[in-house]
Amino acid sequence: MQASELFTLPPSLARFISFFAPDAPPWAWVERISAALDTVPWSEFPPRDNLPPGLKVEGNVYLHPSVKLPPYGVVQGPAWICAHTELRPGVFIRGNVIVGEHAVLGNSCEYKNCLLLDGVQTPHWNYVGDSVLGNRAHLGAGAICANLRLDKKPVTVTTPAGRVATTLRKLGALIGDDAEAGCNAVLQPGVILGRRAAVLPVIAFNGYLPPNTLAAARSEIRHLPRPE
């Protein structure tokens, strides 16, 4: 499986294009986030002035001037957040986070070692760790990207070609462009959602969901009509 089957790196993140090859396995993008941020000449991007008094920003952090800042929250670098993104109250960004344009990082949500492409919506009480969320991907309130197996063993992913061992001890969700998970859904470690796939609320989903399909339960997958 190639990353290009799930997502397209947007122009807003072109500076990192050499780290996120379209022909690489999608889980390899998770491994490259830290290296991509290491190439940023942080001295050329001074901290933003006039931060809200309750917003704590630590380390190397780029916040585009148009990013909407919350009255309180924590942003720990390294982090790169592009234009017109909104950070909501109580947001907790704890390192190795890259965010495209027009995204929402919501209230009481936590992010670490993740890549969020343009238009991602994670508005309420979400956890996103060691994951890639494609353009316009959406998590309903309380949806979680679990990233660690209970037995702490390396995560194995399911692809159309079969099971693949990633060697990664921590791997969250790989969510394709326009895909989504409903409220209080749990995406188990290494879940892959194809483009425009959807998991209904209150489901613990594991494995691979093909493009344009809906998981009403783990054993029930329906095909969605294609958009006109």
Side-chain angles (χ1 to χ4, degrees):
M1 169 172 264
Q2 297 185 347
S4 60
E5 298 174 48
L6 298 179
F7 6 77
T8 301
L9 196 74
S12 64
L13 298 174
R15 69 177 301 121
F16 301 117
I17 194 168
S18 63
F19 294 91
F20 303 116
D23 59 352
W27 49 91
W29 282 26
V30 174
E31 296 182 274
R32 302 299 288 163
I33 295 168
S34 177
L37 287 166
D38 283 345
T39 65
V40 175
W42 293 105
S43 61
E44 298 178 13
F45 301 97
R48 269 183 59 171
D49 295 328
N50 301 319
L51 294 175
L55 179 63
K56 186 175 184 180
V57 178
E58 305 172 335
N60 294 321
V61 175
Y62 170 71
L63 296 167
H64 188 275
S66 64
V67 171
K68 184 177 180 181
L69 300 178
Y72 58 92
V74 176
V75 181
Q76 297 173 343
W80 182 275
I81 301 176
C82 289
H84 308 295
T85 285
E86 179 183 359
L87 307 184
R88 291 184 176 173
V91 67
F92 182 22
I93 297 171
R94 59 184 184 96
N96 291 326
V97 172
I98 299 175
V99 184
E101 295 181 345
H102 297 282
V104 173
L105 280 67
N107 64 288
S108 305
C109 296
E110 181 179 351
Y111 308 83
K112 57 87 66 171
N113 195 45
C114 57
L115 172 62
L116 280 57
L117 305 185
D118 284 3
V120 164
Q121 300 282 312
T122 55
H124 318 284
W125 307 294
N126 305 121
Y127 174 71
V128 183
D130 303 285
S131 300
V132 181
L133 275 59
N135 299 283
R136 299 168 301 280
H138 170 250
L139 298 181
I144 299 297
C145 300
N147 64 340
L148 181 65
R149 289 170 47 139
L150 289 176
D151 60 9
K152 311 300 191 294
K153 291 182 178 180
V155 177
T156 298
V157 298
T158 302
T159 74
R163 300 274 285 170
V164 179
T166 68
T167 74
L168 297 175
R169 182 171 175 268
K170 288 190 176 183
L171 177 63
L174 305 167
I175 302 179
D177 292 348
D178 300 295
E180 57 187 316
C183 295
N184 291 322
V186 176
L187 304 180
Q188 304 283 19
V191 155
I192 300 176
L193 303 185
R195 294 176 188 254
R196 202 173 165 265
V199 174
L200 284 187
V202 201
I203 292 176
F205 184 82
N206 187 37
Y208 169 69
L209 187 60
N212 298 298
T213 56
L214 181 147
R218 181 63 191 92
S219 59
E220 182 182 0
I221 296 177
R222 307 173 188 171
H223 287 279
L224 296 172
R226 294 189 176 275
E228 297 180 358

